[in-house]
Amino acid sequence: MQPRCASNLTEIELAAIAAGINLADGHARHELTASQQKIVYQLHDLFFQAAEISPTLLDRRAQSAFLTAVGQHTAMSQAEVLSCYSSSVAMEIFARSLQASDIRRVALIHPTFDNIPDILRGVGMSLYPLSEVCLMDGSGFLPEDVEALFITTPNNPTGRTLPADVLAHWARVCAAKGVILVLDTSFRGFDERAQYDHYAILAREGCRYVVMEDTGKLWPTLDLKIGFLAFSRGEQLPLHRIYTDVLLGVSPLVMLMVQRFAEDARDGGFGELHRLIKSNRSLLRNQLAHIPSLSFPDQASRISVERLALPKNSTGSTVWHELRRRAVHVLPCRQFFWAEPDAGEHFVRLALSRPPEMVETAATAISGYVEETGG
Ligand code: EGV
């Protein structure tokens, strides 16, 4: 009997937080850099500063610092930006605004992290899967009558990224058909190839757009983070109205902290982050290189998670279950393949935003298990 997990990916991630070696969730759990530590030591002062400065000003400064640090230089002039507690809160606000506008048909990248289809289905959307490969190379076709096209770029868990010319292509298609182009760019801080100015392209092509930006995966700030909901000026979706149904604003202290982390990222912090992820990725790949039945399908990925393709005789659900018995937590990939779960059984996902020793321990457990089972 094959174990098969019925829960969503976040429930699996939650179980991993409780104990053991946690390579399950994509949140940042590595060490603070020296300059990040300095910011954390200043939190006490930042609290009092945040109380003095106008929240509107803090909001604008944090948005501007973050968006320019990830290359989105025209975002502040082209788009409206609303700050949320997390990108999933931004996602929920966006989904509810589709629903309020009587939009029901959404084309969505496949595979992708399961809370995206779950939130969209939760507000009554009908979803049409579009394969990541066809979206990223621009060869796909939008199903008739689709009202929104949703792309995660870089995609989770594969790290595949939409090139600038293909973004322009989809923006033109959407503009011609009156379709809203929606991007989740939560992982873009890891990959400079995803840091060309998306807003300049979206504005030039003249499509309606909504973008979810996120600081949540980048810095080990104990989940103090911001999700930015950005959209074309004058957008008809009732995003402001639904935003205020949910919140008044986020904490000025978090805004100020995000501004400082974003400035640090711009001034070399991203370089350090990229080196850590690159080195953990090499460590993991090297530790498992001697097992021919294991492979890493996402060779070009630079994001903070890595997919591992499993031997033919095993499944992601089994490997997840067996590693968990050895106190090592990974993510089975079944639920990423939201329209075709069995296709996800070839893989597990490992988080790289961890101390290197943790990645090494997990790699040892994986190779031990695979060799034991003759994979
Ligand atoms: C990842 C956790 C939510 C999500 C983790 C994630 N789930 N928000 N329901 O933040 O890749 O592990 O995206």
Side-chain angles (χ1 to χ4, degrees):
M1 178 63 191
Q2 295 270 349
R4 184 163 286 180
C5 33
S7 45
N8 69 26
L9 292 169
T10 304
E11 283 167 25
I12 299 169
E13 294 177 347
L14 260 177
I17 287 172
I21 302 288
N22 171 17
L23 265 61
D25 66 72
H27 292 210
R29 301 183 189 285
H30 49 273
E31 275 183 28
L32 292 160
T33 64
S35 56
Q36 288 174 339
Q37 272 183 38
K38 274 196 196 148
I39 303 171
V40 171
Y41 287 133
Q42 290 163 11
L43 275 178
H44 170 268
D45 297 332
L46 294 183
F47 185 100
F48 293 102
Q49 280 179 39
E52 304 252 293
I53 308 170
S54 127
T56 318
L57 191 60
L58 281 176
D59 212 24
R60 296 287 296 173
R61 283 184 187 161
Q63 292 170 357
S64 172
F66 180 73
L67 290 165
T68 55
V70 293
Q72 305 309 297
H73 298 287
T74 60
M76 292 301 286
S77 56
Q78 294 293 351
E80 292 190 59
V81 186
L82 296 173
S83 303
C84 307
Y85 290 117
S86 71
S87 67
S88 297
V89 172
M91 179 69 204
E92 177 70 27
I93 292 167
F94 159 71
R96 280 194 47 201
S97 77
L98 288 182
Q99 204 247 356
S101 305
D102 289 326
I103 289 175
R104 293 291 179 274
R105 290 181 297 274
V106 180
L108 172 63
I109 188 167
H110 186 270
T112 202
F113 195 76
D114 69 347
N115 87 326
I116 297 171
D118 286 350
I119 288 174
L120 290 169
R121 282 177 179 143
V123 297
M125 296 298 130
S126 301
L127 302 182
Y128 300 83
L130 280 186
S131 95
E132 170 190 81
V133 175
C134 299
L135 275 173
M136 298 298 189
D137 70 11
S139 68
F141 290 95
L142 272 192
E144 278 307 305
D145 299 331
V146 147
E147 298 157 285
L149 167 61
F150 193 117
I151 305 176
T152 314
T153 174
N155 197 16
N156 181 2
T158 64
R160 290 226 15 186
T161 298
L162 201 58
D165 58 329
V166 184
L167 174 65
H169 162 74
W170 289 120
R172 270 194 300 277
V173 170
C174 287
K177 298 188 178 215
V179 168
I180 306 170
L181 182 53
V182 190
L183 305 176
D184 180 331
T185 60
S186 292
F187 282 89
R188 78 154 107 227
F190 294 103
D191 192 339
E192 278 162 14
R193 296 167 300 181
Q195 294 179 12
Y196 59 87
D197 191 340
H198 289 44
Y199 295 84
I201 294 174
L202 294 165
R204 187 185 73 214
E205 303 300 342
C207 67
R208 294 173 70 183
Y209 65 84
V210 178
V211 184
M212 259 76 64
E213 307 269 358
D214 190 13
T215 74
K217 304 292 186 293
L218 298 173
W219 309 314
T221 46
L222 299 179
D223 279 345
L224 294 171
K225 58 187 177 181
I226 304 284
F228 295 113
L229 182 59
F231 48 92
S232 28
R233 290 196 176 274
E235 172 51 50
Q236 302 140 43
L237 290 176
L239 291 156
H240 283 280
R241 172 56 221 287
I242 300 210
Y243 177 89
T244 53
D245 278 351
V246 178
L247 69 165
L248 175 65
V250 298
S251 161
L253 175 61
V254 179
M255 296 307 306
L256 191 53
M257 192 204 69
V258 160
Q259 183 194 330
R260 293 296 160 86
F261 269 79
E263 288 162 354
D264 178 71
R266 176 200 62 199
D267 299 337
F270 273 147
E272 280 189 76
L273 177 65
H274 298 169
R275 281 193 291 279
L276 171 81
I277 300 299
K278 191 176 181 188
S279 143
N280 279 350
R281 174 167 273 120
S282 307
L283 177 65
L284 179 70
R285 289 182 182 176
N286 291 339
Q287 296 273 325
L288 297 176
H290 66 285
I291 307 179
S293 60
L294 292 176
S295 62
F296 296 95
D298 306 313
Q299 280 302 312
S301 175
R302 292 189 197 161
I303 67 171
S304 61
V305 294
E306 177 83 344
R307 238 175 6 144
L308 174 66
L310 302 166
K312 292 232 161 14
N313 65 355
S314 67
T315 65
S317 299
T318 312
V319 170
W320 161 73
H321 184 80
E322 288 301 320
L323 289 176
R324 199 173 60 152
R325 295 187 346 146
R326 292 159 173 79
V328 170
H329 295 260
V330 301
L331 264 197
C333 285
R334 203 179 159 73
Q335 286 89 333
F336 284 98
F337 289 72
W338 54 271
E340 197 195 348
D342 284 343
E345 287 289 1
H346 299 301
F347 314 101
V348 292
R349 192 196 77 171
L350 303 146
L352 300 173
S353 47
R354 299 294 189 271
E357 309 79 61
M358 237 173 156
V359 174
E360 195 165 355
T361 309
T364 308
I366 293 167
S367 71
Y369 166 69
V370 174
E371 279 168 343
E372 247 169 62
T373 53

